[in-house]
């Protein structure tokens, strides 16, 4: 399945990026000796791979920023990333990287074959945007009302395209291959599972998986990592309390589901505070409640929707079991039956200790020890966890905080520092070089 991209200018930007790389480094595919300098004059370029990564990432930075801004202007929601996928496919094709589209509905997978046999490294970037009305006022702000790249997936997509350009140039030096996964629908935690169901792991059988996320809570130019679980498991629950309607003045003749729902919300927090180990983080949040029509009628039903976040299996099991027990008790004690739909969306994202340690060492060598720090786990969820559940994996945080700003993810004014793209390109490329030596 291929997606047409002829109508989109960003595709030509990605293609121009690749074409320029080919023009500037025509002999790169067979081992570069002399390449075009930044001003177009013949100069001796770096020949060691680590220096080539830095030089190439800096050289293509302006094209990558332009590509990111074009993607930012045209954000697409989960499983609607048709134009974004087309831009990605065009960029990979121009780089001479074979790719398959339509993987997991709107995902794209490209493969870079190294010069020698070796392990397979999967690198994943997500592509989808959020249903948020952008308020940044930037000249390249979203042109799609109510949709915005407020989590920086435009940065991620662009960063992986940039890394693909660098690694394609260095392909003859690699022992193994790189699988480039451009994933849809991370924001609804369904894209990774869709791509896995479509065979991305079965077909390519990666030995390692590498994920990353821009991180506005630390300054651009820095990186962070978390040992062990770095992102939480995410479970979703929907509850319908079935009461019996009646007049508000005669509650004894009704069964009030609003009182029951209020009781449940309060008791839900005791599952976290009294049944989960205090040293094991857990969050149970009700984010939606709906019931009733007017002030003097007790309704027949109330609906709750919420989420549970945990970092380990014991806490995850405890909260779900406690919730089911609580609802059963309410049916007996409050005469209030209920219907529970409980879905385990994604597991916690757990970094493989050996792989993460190796990559952290590589990052410190490339960027300096002061630029790489250990961070804290987040109770936010990330469906890269589905890859990490199947393959030894590591997840990096790439600082995107702009000087003088205090940005936050999923905010309508989110404006990350675009310098994080170059840092990300270098980080992914250095990691690949180290793992595929």
């Amino acid at each position: 399945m291929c997606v047409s991209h002829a109508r989109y200018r960003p595709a030509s930007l990605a293609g121009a990026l690749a074409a320029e790389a080919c023009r500037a480094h025509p002999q790169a595919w067979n081992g570069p000796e002399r390449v075009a300098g930044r001003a177009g004059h013949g100069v001796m370029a770096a020949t060691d791979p680590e220096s080539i990564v830095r030089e190439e990432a800096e050289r293509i930075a302006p094209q990558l920023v332009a590509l990111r801004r074009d993607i930012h202007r045209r954000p697409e929601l989960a499983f609607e990333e048709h134009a974004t996928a087309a831009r990605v496919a065009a960029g990979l094709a121009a780089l001479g990287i074979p790719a398959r589209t339509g993987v997991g509905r709107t995902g794209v997978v490209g493969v870079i074959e190294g010069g020698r046999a070796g392990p397979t490294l999967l690198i994943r970037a997500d592509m989808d945007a959020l249903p948020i009305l952008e308020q940044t006022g930037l000249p390249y702000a979203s042109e799609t009302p109510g949709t915005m790249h407020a989590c920086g997936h435009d940065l991620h997509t662009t960063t992986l395209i940039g890394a693909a350009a660098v690694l394609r140039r260095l392909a003859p030096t690699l022992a193994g291959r790189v699988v480039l996964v451009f994933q849809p629908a991370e924001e609804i935690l369904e894209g990774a599972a869709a791509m896995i169901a479509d065979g991305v792991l079965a077909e390519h059988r990666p030995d390692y998986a590498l994920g990353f996320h821009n991180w506005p809570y630390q300054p651009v130019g820095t990186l962070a990592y978390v040992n062990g679980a770095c992102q939480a498991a995410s479970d979703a629950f929907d509850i319908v309390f079935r009461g019996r309607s009646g007049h508000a003045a005669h509650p004894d003749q009704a069964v009030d589901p609003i009182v029951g729902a209020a009781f449940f919300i309060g008791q839900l927090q005791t599952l976290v505070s009294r049944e989960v180990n205090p040293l094991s983080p857990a969050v149970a949040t009700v984010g939606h409640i709906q019931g009733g029509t007017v002030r003097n009628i007790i309704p027949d039903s109330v609906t709750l929707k919420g989420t549970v976040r945990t970092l380990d299996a014991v806490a995850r099991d405890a909260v779900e079991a406690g919730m089911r027990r609580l609802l059963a008790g309410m049916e007996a004690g409050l005469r209030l039956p209920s219907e529970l739909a409980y879905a385990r969306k994604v597991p916690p994202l757990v970094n493989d200790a050996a792989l993460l340690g190796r990559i952290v060492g590589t990052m410190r060598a490339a960027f300096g020890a002061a630029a790489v720090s250990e961070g804290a786990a987040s109770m936010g969820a990330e469906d890269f966890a589905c890859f990490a559940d199947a393959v030894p994996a590591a997840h990096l945080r790439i600082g995107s905080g702009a000087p003088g700003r205090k940005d936050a993810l999923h905010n309508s004014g989110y404006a990350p520092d675009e310098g994080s793209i170059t840092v990300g390109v270098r980080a992914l490329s250095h990691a690949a070089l180290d793992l595929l030596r």
Side-chain angles (χ1 to χ4, degrees), residues 65-113:
V65 168
L67 176 60
R68 179 259 165 168
R69 293 182 179 185
D70 237 354
I71 293 173
H72 188 88
R73 287 188 186 97
R74 298 167 176 81
E76 297 172 299
L77 298 176
F79 291 127
E80 297 176 5
E81 308 93 335
H82 301 291
T84 307
R87 296 169 189 138
V88 169
L92 295 179
L95 288 165
I97 298 172
R100 185 159 70 94
T101 59
V103 183
R105 294 171 60 177
T106 47
V108 181
V109 179
V111 178
I112 299 174
E113 296 287 352

Side-chain angles (χ1 to χ4, degrees), residues 30-182:
N30 297 309
E33 294 296 332
R34 179 178 294 273
V35 298
R38 292 180 192 171
H41 302 294
V43 296
M44 286 301 294
T47 57
D48 64 289
E50 285 75 14
S51 297
I52 289 173
V53 167
R54 182 179 61 253
E55 178 185 272
E56 190 73 358
E58 292 174 356
R59 189 186 64 79
I60 64 178
Q63 289 83 8
L64 291 176
V65 168
L67 176 60
R68 179 259 165 168
R69 293 182 179 185
D70 237 354
I71 293 173
H72 188 88
R73 287 188 186 97
R74 298 167 176 81
E76 297 172 299
L77 298 176
F79 291 127
E80 297 176 5
E81 308 93 335
H82 301 291
T84 307
R87 296 169 189 138
V88 169
L92 295 179
L95 288 165
I97 298 172
R100 185 159 70 94
T101 59
V103 183
R105 294 171 60 177
T106 47
V108 181
V109 179
V111 178
I112 299 174
E113 296 287 352
R116 308 184 309 282
T120 296
L121 169 65
L122 181 152
I123 310 178
R124 174 272 211 171
D126 39 20
M127 302 187 294
D128 56 324
L130 285 160
I132 292 176
L133 179 64
E134 182 164 349
Q135 304 288 343
T136 63
L138 293 168
Y140 52 89
S142 171
E143 296 174 359
T144 305
T147 305
M148 176 191 175
H149 272 295
C151 199
H153 294 187
D154 51 341
L155 294 175
H156 302 168
T157 302
T158 304
T159 297
L160 189 51
I161 290 176
V166 174
L167 293 173
R168 178 65 181 89
R169 180 185 172 193
L170 292 170
T173 71
L174 302 179
R177 61 179 180 159
V178 181
V179 178
L180 309 161
V181 173
F182 295 85

Side-chain angles (χ1 to χ4, degrees), residues 264 271 318-329 340-343:
F264 172 83
L271 299 180
V319 175
E320 180 182 356
M323 186 182 299
R324 294 185 183 278
R325 190 180 65 251
L326 175 59
L327 293 173
L340 170 65
Y342 197 100

Side-chain angles (χ1 to χ4, degrees), residues 206-428:
D207 298 280
Y208 316 108
L210 176 60
F212 63 101
H213 205 291
N214 79 99
W215 207 243
Y217 315 106
Q218 63 187 68
V220 67
T222 66
L223 300 102
Y225 64 93
V226 178
N227 284 304
C230 63
Q231 303 285 136
S234 177
D235 300 336
F237 63 87
D238 292 49
I239 302 171
V240 180
F241 290 104
R242 300 292 185 187
R244 186 170 66 246
S245 60
H247 198 292
H250 307 289
D252 56 307
Q253 299 175 20
V255 176
D256 194 338
I258 291 180
V259 171
F263 175 83
F264 172 83
I265 292 171
Q267 292 302 304
L268 178 63
Q269 301 312 312
T270 68
L271 299 180
V272 172
S273 66
R274 292 296 178 266
E275 297 196 26
V276 174
N277 186 324
L279 300 179
S280 180
V283 173
T285 297
V286 175
H288 171 93
I289 179 169
Q290 182 176 356
T293 54
V294 295
R295 72 181 72 240
N296 64 339
I297 298 176
I298 294 171
D300 281 310
S301 65
V302 170
T303 299
L304 302 182
K305 297 178 184 292
T307 184
V308 174
R309 306 297 176 95
T310 52
L311 288 177
D312 66 74
V314 174
R316 193 180 195 187
D317 291 342
V319 175
E320 180 182 356
M323 186 182 299
R324 294 185 183 278
R325 190 180 65 251
L326 175 59
L327 293 173
M330 289 176 62
E331 181 169 4
L334 300 180
R335 302 172 295 147
L336 189 63
S338 59
E339 300 161 7
L340 170 65
Y342 197 100
R344 295 199 169 196
K345 300 286 283 185
V346 297
L349 172 51
V350 180
N351 283 314
D352 180 83
L355 179 62
L356 180 66
R358 182 172 176 179
I359 290 176
V360 168
T362 300
M363 296 303 105
R364 286 175 172 156
F367 294 94
V372 184
S373 60
E374 183 173 2
S378 166
M379 299 308 285
E382 160 65 83
D383 75 349
F384 180 69
C386 296
F387 291 105
D389 212 33
V391 178
H395 195 264
L396 292 176
R397 294 173 179 173
I398 299 173
S400 57
R405 293 183 61 89
K406 293 184 178 180
D407 280 296
L409 299 172
H410 290 214
N411 182 274
S412 61
Y414 185 44
D417 194 310
E418 293 172 318
S420 62
I421 297 173
T422 298
V423 175
V425 170
R426 289 181 58 196
L428 298 181

